[in-house]
Short mmCIF file of all heavy atoms in Angstrom, two decimals:
data_model
loop_
_atom_site.label_atom_id
_atom_site.label_comp_id
_atom_site.label_asym_id
_atom_site.label_seq_id
_atom_site.Cartn_x
_atom_site.Cartn_y
_atom_site.Cartn_z
N PHE A 231 -9.65 21.41 -13.13
CA PHE A 231 -9.19 20.07 -13.51
C PHE A 231 -10.37 19.11 -13.47
O PHE A 231 -11.13 19.05 -12.50
CB PHE A 231 -8.10 19.61 -12.54
CG PHE A 231 -7.54 18.25 -12.86
CD1 PHE A 231 -6.80 18.04 -14.01
CD2 PHE A 231 -7.75 17.18 -11.99
CE1 PHE A 231 -6.28 16.80 -14.30
CE2 PHE A 231 -7.22 15.94 -12.27
CZ PHE A 231 -6.49 15.74 -13.43
N LYS A 232 -10.55 18.35 -14.53
CA LYS A 232 -11.60 17.34 -14.58
C LYS A 232 -11.00 16.01 -14.98
O LYS A 232 -9.95 15.94 -15.63
CB LYS A 232 -12.69 17.75 -15.57
CG LYS A 232 -12.26 17.71 -17.03
CD LYS A 232 -13.43 17.96 -17.97
CE LYS A 232 -12.99 17.83 -19.44
NZ LYS A 232 -14.14 18.04 -20.37
N THR A 233 -11.66 14.93 -14.56
CA THR A 233 -11.16 13.58 -14.83
C THR A 233 -12.21 12.78 -15.56
O THR A 233 -13.42 13.06 -15.47
CB THR A 233 -10.79 12.87 -13.53
OG1 THR A 233 -11.94 12.80 -12.68
CG2 THR A 233 -9.67 13.60 -12.81
N GLN A 234 -11.74 11.76 -16.24
CA GLN A 234 -12.62 10.84 -16.96
C GLN A 234 -11.90 9.49 -17.07
O GLN A 234 -10.67 9.43 -17.08
CB GLN A 234 -12.95 11.37 -18.34
CG GLN A 234 -11.73 11.62 -19.22
CD GLN A 234 -12.08 12.28 -20.53
OE1 GLN A 234 -13.21 12.63 -20.76
NE2 GLN A 234 -11.09 12.44 -21.40
N PRO A 235 -12.65 8.38 -17.13
CA PRO A 235 -12.01 7.07 -17.28
C PRO A 235 -11.27 6.96 -18.61
O PRO A 235 -11.71 7.50 -19.63
CB PRO A 235 -13.18 6.09 -17.20
CG PRO A 235 -14.30 6.86 -16.58
CD PRO A 235 -14.11 8.28 -16.99
N ALA A 236 -10.13 6.30 -18.59
CA ALA A 236 -9.37 6.10 -19.82
C ALA A 236 -10.13 5.15 -20.74
O ALA A 236 -10.78 4.21 -20.30
CB ALA A 236 -7.99 5.54 -19.50
N SER A 237 -10.04 5.43 -22.02
CA SER A 237 -10.78 4.64 -23.01
C SER A 237 -9.98 3.45 -23.53
O SER A 237 -10.45 2.74 -24.40
CB SER A 237 -11.17 5.54 -24.19
OG SER A 237 -10.01 6.10 -24.80
N CYS A 238 -8.76 3.24 -22.99
CA CYS A 238 -7.96 2.10 -23.45
C CYS A 238 -7.82 1.09 -22.32
O CYS A 238 -8.06 1.40 -21.15
CB CYS A 238 -6.58 2.55 -23.91
SG CYS A 238 -5.65 3.48 -22.68
N ASN A 239 -7.42 -0.11 -22.68
CA ASN A 239 -7.26 -1.17 -21.71
C ASN A 239 -6.07 -0.90 -20.81
O ASN A 239 -5.07 -0.33 -21.23
CB ASN A 239 -7.08 -2.51 -22.43
CG ASN A 239 -7.20 -3.68 -21.48
OD1 ASN A 239 -6.34 -3.91 -20.64
ND2 ASN A 239 -8.28 -4.44 -21.63
N ALA A 240 -6.19 -1.33 -19.54
CA ALA A 240 -5.12 -1.07 -18.58
C ALA A 240 -3.84 -1.82 -18.89
O ALA A 240 -2.78 -1.45 -18.41
CB ALA A 240 -5.60 -1.44 -17.16
N SER A 241 -3.94 -2.88 -19.69
CA SER A 241 -2.73 -3.64 -20.04
C SER A 241 -1.85 -2.90 -21.03
O SER A 241 -0.68 -3.23 -21.21
CB SER A 241 -3.12 -5.01 -20.60
OG SER A 241 -3.92 -4.85 -21.77
N VAL A 242 -2.40 -1.88 -21.70
CA VAL A 242 -1.61 -1.07 -22.63
C VAL A 242 -0.68 -0.17 -21.84
O VAL A 242 -1.02 0.30 -20.76
CB VAL A 242 -2.55 -0.24 -23.53
CG1 VAL A 242 -1.75 0.62 -24.51
CG2 VAL A 242 -3.51 -1.15 -24.28
N SER A 243 0.52 0.05 -22.35
CA SER A 243 1.49 0.88 -21.65
C SER A 243 0.97 2.30 -21.50
O SER A 243 0.12 2.77 -22.26
CB SER A 243 2.82 0.89 -22.41
OG SER A 243 2.67 1.51 -23.66
N PHE A 244 1.54 3.00 -20.50
CA PHE A 244 1.08 4.35 -20.22
C PHE A 244 1.30 5.27 -21.42
O PHE A 244 0.45 6.09 -21.76
CB PHE A 244 1.82 4.90 -18.99
CG PHE A 244 1.10 4.65 -17.71
CD1 PHE A 244 0.79 3.38 -17.31
CD2 PHE A 244 0.72 5.71 -16.91
CE1 PHE A 244 0.13 3.14 -16.13
CE2 PHE A 244 0.05 5.50 -15.72
CZ PHE A 244 -0.25 4.20 -15.33
N SER A 245 2.46 5.16 -22.05
CA SER A 245 2.76 6.05 -23.17
C SER A 245 1.81 5.83 -24.33
O SER A 245 1.29 6.78 -24.93
CB SER A 245 4.21 5.83 -23.63
OG SER A 245 4.42 4.47 -24.00
N LYS A 246 1.54 4.56 -24.67
CA LYS A 246 0.62 4.27 -25.77
C LYS A 246 -0.79 4.69 -25.42
O LYS A 246 -1.52 5.24 -26.25
CB LYS A 246 0.66 2.78 -26.11
CG LYS A 246 1.99 2.32 -26.70
CD LYS A 246 1.93 0.83 -27.05
CE LYS A 246 3.26 0.37 -27.64
NZ LYS A 246 3.23 -1.08 -27.95
N CYS A 247 -1.18 4.43 -24.18
CA CYS A 247 -2.53 4.79 -23.76
C CYS A 247 -2.72 6.29 -23.78
O CYS A 247 -3.77 6.79 -24.19
CB CYS A 247 -2.81 4.23 -22.37
SG CYS A 247 -4.51 4.43 -21.83
N LEU A 248 -1.71 7.03 -23.34
CA LEU A 248 -1.83 8.49 -23.32
C LEU A 248 -1.88 9.04 -24.74
O LEU A 248 -2.57 10.03 -25.01
CB LEU A 248 -0.65 9.10 -22.56
CG LEU A 248 -0.77 10.57 -22.18
CD1 LEU A 248 -2.02 10.82 -21.36
CD2 LEU A 248 0.46 11.03 -21.42
N ASP A 249 -1.16 8.41 -25.65
CA ASP A 249 -1.22 8.85 -27.05
C ASP A 249 -2.58 8.61 -27.67
O ASP A 249 -2.99 9.32 -28.60
CB ASP A 249 -0.14 8.13 -27.87
CG ASP A 249 1.27 8.54 -27.45
OD1 ASP A 249 1.41 9.64 -26.90
OD2 ASP A 249 2.21 7.76 -27.68
N LEU A 250 -3.29 7.60 -27.16
CA LEU A 250 -4.61 7.28 -27.71
C LEU A 250 -5.70 8.21 -27.19
O LEU A 250 -6.80 8.24 -27.75
CB LEU A 250 -4.98 5.83 -27.37
CG LEU A 250 -4.10 4.74 -28.01
CD1 LEU A 250 -4.50 3.36 -27.49
CD2 LEU A 250 -4.20 4.78 -29.53
N GLN A 251 -5.39 8.94 -26.10
CA GLN A 251 -6.39 9.85 -25.53
C GLN A 251 -6.33 11.20 -26.26
O GLN A 251 -5.34 11.93 -26.14
CB GLN A 251 -6.12 10.05 -24.04
CG GLN A 251 -5.99 8.76 -23.25
CD GLN A 251 -7.25 7.94 -23.29
OE1 GLN A 251 -8.34 8.43 -23.01
NE2 GLN A 251 -7.12 6.66 -23.63
N ASN A 252 -7.38 11.52 -26.98
CA ASN A 252 -7.38 12.77 -27.75
C ASN A 252 -7.58 13.99 -26.85
O ASN A 252 -6.98 15.04 -27.08
CB ASN A 252 -8.49 12.72 -28.81
CG ASN A 252 -8.24 11.63 -29.84
OD1 ASN A 252 -7.08 11.34 -30.17
ND2 ASN A 252 -9.30 11.00 -30.32
N ASN A 253 -8.42 13.86 -25.84
CA ASN A 253 -8.76 15.01 -25.00
C ASN A 253 -8.18 14.90 -23.60
O ASN A 253 -8.70 15.48 -22.66
CB ASN A 253 -10.30 15.14 -24.91
CG ASN A 253 -10.93 15.33 -26.27
OD1 ASN A 253 -10.38 16.03 -27.11
ND2 ASN A 253 -12.08 14.72 -26.48
N THR A 254 -7.08 14.15 -23.47
CA THR A 254 -6.48 13.93 -22.16
C THR A 254 -5.05 14.44 -22.18
O THR A 254 -4.28 14.13 -23.09
CB THR A 254 -6.51 12.44 -21.79
OG1 THR A 254 -7.86 11.99 -21.79
CG2 THR A 254 -5.91 12.21 -20.42
N ASP A 255 -4.71 15.20 -21.16
CA ASP A 255 -3.36 15.75 -21.07
C ASP A 255 -2.48 15.02 -20.07
O ASP A 255 -1.26 15.14 -20.13
CB ASP A 255 -3.45 17.24 -20.68
CG ASP A 255 -4.23 18.05 -21.68
OD1 ASP A 255 -3.77 18.16 -22.82
OD2 ASP A 255 -5.31 18.56 -21.33
N ILE A 256 -3.09 14.26 -19.14
CA ILE A 256 -2.30 13.68 -18.07
C ILE A 256 -3.03 12.48 -17.49
O ILE A 256 -4.26 12.37 -17.57
CB ILE A 256 -2.05 14.75 -16.97
CG1 ILE A 256 -0.95 14.30 -16.03
CG2 ILE A 256 -3.31 15.07 -16.21
CD1 ILE A 256 -0.54 15.38 -15.06
N PHE A 257 -2.28 11.53 -16.93
CA PHE A 257 -2.83 10.43 -16.15
C PHE A 257 -2.66 10.75 -14.67
O PHE A 257 -1.61 11.24 -14.25
CB PHE A 257 -2.10 9.12 -16.45
CG PHE A 257 -2.64 8.39 -17.63
CD1 PHE A 257 -1.80 7.92 -18.61
CD2 PHE A 257 -3.99 8.14 -17.75
CE1 PHE A 257 -2.29 7.24 -19.71
CE2 PHE A 257 -4.49 7.46 -18.84
CZ PHE A 257 -3.64 7.00 -19.82
N ILE A 258 -3.68 10.46 -13.88
CA ILE A 258 -3.57 10.70 -12.44
C ILE A 258 -3.19 9.43 -11.69
O ILE A 258 -2.98 9.48 -10.48
CB ILE A 258 -4.88 11.28 -11.87
CG1 ILE A 258 -5.99 10.23 -11.94
CG2 ILE A 258 -5.26 12.55 -12.58
CD1 ILE A 258 -7.25 10.67 -11.23
N ASN A 259 -3.10 8.30 -12.39
CA ASN A 259 -2.72 7.06 -11.73
C ASN A 259 -1.23 7.03 -11.41
O ASN A 259 -0.42 7.64 -12.10
CB ASN A 259 -3.05 5.86 -12.62
CG ASN A 259 -4.52 5.74 -12.88
OD1 ASN A 259 -5.06 6.48 -13.69
ND2 ASN A 259 -5.18 4.83 -12.19
N GLN A 260 -0.90 6.29 -10.36
CA GLN A 260 0.50 6.03 -10.06
C GLN A 260 0.95 4.80 -10.84
O GLN A 260 0.19 3.87 -11.05
CB GLN A 260 0.70 5.83 -8.56
CG GLN A 260 0.39 7.07 -7.75
CD GLN A 260 0.76 6.92 -6.30
OE1 GLN A 260 1.62 6.12 -5.95
NE2 GLN A 260 0.12 7.69 -5.44
N TYR A 261 2.20 4.81 -11.21
CA TYR A 261 2.73 3.87 -12.19
C TYR A 261 4.04 3.30 -11.67
O TYR A 261 4.88 4.02 -11.15
CB TYR A 261 2.91 4.62 -13.52
CG TYR A 261 3.77 3.92 -14.55
CD1 TYR A 261 3.33 2.78 -15.19
CD2 TYR A 261 5.01 4.43 -14.90
CE1 TYR A 261 4.11 2.15 -16.15
CE2 TYR A 261 5.80 3.81 -15.86
CZ TYR A 261 5.34 2.67 -16.48
OH TYR A 261 6.11 2.06 -17.42
N PHE A 262 4.20 1.98 -11.78
CA PHE A 262 5.44 1.31 -11.38
C PHE A 262 6.30 1.12 -12.61
O PHE A 262 5.98 0.33 -13.50
CB PHE A 262 5.13 -0.03 -10.71
CG PHE A 262 4.39 0.11 -9.42
CD1 PHE A 262 3.02 -0.04 -9.39
CD2 PHE A 262 5.05 0.43 -8.26
CE1 PHE A 262 2.32 0.10 -8.22
CE2 PHE A 262 4.37 0.58 -7.07
CZ PHE A 262 3.00 0.41 -7.05
N ALA A 263 7.38 1.88 -12.67
CA ALA A 263 8.22 1.92 -13.86
C ALA A 263 9.29 0.83 -13.79
O ALA A 263 9.82 0.53 -12.73
CB ALA A 263 8.89 3.29 -14.00
N HIS A 264 9.59 0.27 -14.94
CA HIS A 264 10.68 -0.69 -15.06
C HIS A 264 11.94 -0.04 -15.61
O HIS A 264 13.04 -0.56 -15.44
CB HIS A 264 10.24 -1.85 -15.97
CG HIS A 264 8.88 -2.37 -15.63
ND1 HIS A 264 8.59 -2.91 -14.40
CD2 HIS A 264 7.73 -2.42 -16.35
CE1 HIS A 264 7.32 -3.29 -14.38
NE2 HIS A 264 6.77 -2.99 -15.56
N GLN A 265 11.78 1.10 -16.28
CA GLN A 265 12.90 1.89 -16.77
C GLN A 265 12.59 3.36 -16.50
O GLN A 265 11.50 3.84 -16.80
CB GLN A 265 13.13 1.67 -18.27
CG GLN A 265 13.60 0.27 -18.62
CD GLN A 265 13.84 0.10 -20.10
OE1 GLN A 265 13.52 0.98 -20.89
NE2 GLN A 265 14.43 -1.03 -20.47
N LEU A 266 13.56 4.06 -15.94
CA LEU A 266 13.36 5.46 -15.58
C LEU A 266 13.62 6.36 -16.78
O LEU A 266 14.50 6.10 -17.59
CB LEU A 266 14.29 5.84 -14.42
CG LEU A 266 14.10 5.05 -13.12
CD1 LEU A 266 15.08 5.54 -12.06
CD2 LEU A 266 12.68 5.15 -12.61
N ASN A 267 12.84 7.44 -16.86
CA ASN A 267 13.05 8.46 -17.88
C ASN A 267 12.54 9.79 -17.34
O ASN A 267 11.99 9.87 -16.23
CB ASN A 267 12.38 8.09 -19.20
CG ASN A 267 10.89 7.81 -19.03
OD1 ASN A 267 10.14 8.67 -18.56
ND2 ASN A 267 10.45 6.61 -19.40
N ASP A 268 12.73 10.85 -18.11
CA ASP A 268 12.37 12.18 -17.65
C ASP A 268 10.87 12.45 -17.69
O ASP A 268 10.43 13.54 -17.32
CB ASP A 268 13.10 13.25 -18.48
CG ASP A 268 12.83 13.08 -19.98
OD1 ASP A 268 12.10 12.14 -20.35
OD2 ASP A 268 13.37 13.89 -20.77
N GLN A 269 10.07 11.49 -18.14
CA GLN A 269 8.62 11.65 -18.13
C GLN A 269 7.99 11.18 -16.84
O GLN A 269 6.77 11.28 -16.67
CB GLN A 269 8.01 10.89 -19.31
CG GLN A 269 8.43 11.40 -20.68
CD GLN A 269 7.87 10.55 -21.80
OE1 GLN A 269 8.61 9.89 -22.52
NE2 GLN A 269 6.57 10.56 -21.95
N LEU A 270 8.79 10.67 -15.92
CA LEU A 270 8.29 10.11 -14.66
C LEU A 270 8.60 11.05 -13.50
O LEU A 270 9.72 11.56 -13.39
CB LEU A 270 8.91 8.74 -14.40
CG LEU A 270 8.66 7.67 -15.47
CD1 LEU A 270 9.42 6.39 -15.11
CD2 LEU A 270 7.18 7.38 -15.60
N ILE A 271 7.63 11.26 -12.65
CA ILE A 271 7.77 12.04 -11.43
C ILE A 271 7.48 11.10 -10.26
O ILE A 271 6.39 10.53 -10.17
CB ILE A 271 6.81 13.24 -11.40
CG1 ILE A 271 7.05 14.13 -12.62
CG2 ILE A 271 6.98 14.02 -10.11
CD1 ILE A 271 8.42 14.73 -12.70
N ASP A 272 8.46 10.91 -9.38
CA ASP A 272 8.28 9.94 -8.30
C ASP A 272 7.25 10.44 -7.29
O ASP A 272 7.10 11.64 -7.07
CB ASP A 272 9.61 9.68 -7.60
CG ASP A 272 10.11 10.88 -6.82
OD1 ASP A 272 10.72 11.77 -7.45
OD2 ASP A 272 9.87 10.94 -5.61
N SER A 273 6.56 9.49 -6.68
CA SER A 273 5.53 9.81 -5.69
C SER A 273 6.09 9.86 -4.28
O SER A 273 5.32 10.04 -3.32
CB SER A 273 4.40 8.78 -5.75
OG SER A 273 4.90 7.50 -5.40
N ILE A 274 7.39 9.66 -4.12
CA ILE A 274 8.12 9.73 -2.85
C ILE A 274 7.80 8.53 -1.96
O ILE A 274 8.70 7.89 -1.43
CB ILE A 274 7.83 11.04 -2.09
CG1 ILE A 274 8.18 12.26 -2.96
CG2 ILE A 274 8.62 11.09 -0.78
CD1 ILE A 274 7.85 13.59 -2.32
N GLU A 275 6.53 8.20 -1.80
CA GLU A 275 6.15 7.12 -0.90
C GLU A 275 6.41 5.75 -1.53
O GLU A 275 6.29 5.58 -2.74
CB GLU A 275 4.66 7.22 -0.56
CG GLU A 275 4.30 8.49 0.18
CD GLU A 275 2.81 8.60 0.40
OE1 GLU A 275 2.10 8.81 -0.59
OE2 GLU A 275 2.38 8.47 1.54
N MET A 276 6.75 4.79 -0.67
CA MET A 276 6.91 3.42 -1.11
C MET A 276 5.54 2.74 -1.13
O MET A 276 4.78 2.81 -0.16
CB MET A 276 7.84 2.66 -0.16
CG MET A 276 9.26 3.18 -0.13
SD MET A 276 10.17 2.84 -1.65
CE MET A 276 10.35 1.07 -1.51
N GLN A 277 5.22 2.12 -2.25
CA GLN A 277 3.97 1.38 -2.38
C GLN A 277 4.27 -0.09 -2.19
O GLN A 277 5.20 -0.63 -2.77
CB GLN A 277 3.32 1.64 -3.73
CG GLN A 277 3.08 3.10 -4.03
CD GLN A 277 2.15 3.74 -3.02
OE1 GLN A 277 1.36 3.07 -2.37
NE2 GLN A 277 2.26 5.06 -2.87
N ARG A 278 3.45 -0.76 -1.36
CA ARG A 278 3.69 -2.16 -1.01
C ARG A 278 2.54 -3.04 -1.47
O ARG A 278 1.40 -2.60 -1.55
CB ARG A 278 3.88 -2.29 0.50
CG ARG A 278 5.07 -1.51 1.05
CD ARG A 278 5.15 -1.65 2.54
NE ARG A 278 3.98 -1.06 3.19
CZ ARG A 278 3.68 -1.23 4.48
NH1 ARG A 278 4.44 -2.00 5.24
NH2 ARG A 278 2.62 -0.65 5.00
N PHE A 279 2.88 -4.29 -1.74
CA PHE A 279 1.90 -5.29 -2.15
C PHE A 279 1.82 -6.38 -1.10
O PHE A 279 2.84 -6.75 -0.49
CB PHE A 279 2.26 -5.90 -3.50
CG PHE A 279 1.87 -5.04 -4.68
CD1 PHE A 279 2.63 -3.95 -5.05
CD2 PHE A 279 0.72 -5.34 -5.39
CE1 PHE A 279 2.27 -3.17 -6.12
CE2 PHE A 279 0.35 -4.55 -6.47
CZ PHE A 279 1.12 -3.47 -6.84
N GLY A 280 0.61 -6.88 -0.88
CA GLY A 280 0.41 -7.94 0.10
C GLY A 280 -0.76 -8.81 -0.29
O GLY A 280 -1.31 -8.72 -1.40
#
Side-chain angles (χ1 to χ4, degrees):
F231 182 67
K232 69 173 184 179
T233 59
Q234 59 186 5
S237 59
C238 55
N239 192 290
S241 60
V242 180
S243 66
F244 268 59
S245 58
K246 293 182 180 179
C247 187
L248 193 56
D249 293 336
L250 295 175
Q251 308 298 309
N252 296 326
N253 300 322
T254 301
D255 301 295
I256 195 173
F257 274 131
I258 67 172
N259 297 77
Q260 295 188 24
Y261 165 70
F262 295 98
H264 313 299
Q265 294 181 352
L266 300 180
N267 56 58
D268 55 359
Q269 297 176 246
L270 301 176
I271 302 299
D272 68 278
S273 63
I274 303 177
E275 297 176 290
M276 296 290 290
Q277 304 300 336
R278 299 177 296 168
F279 279 79

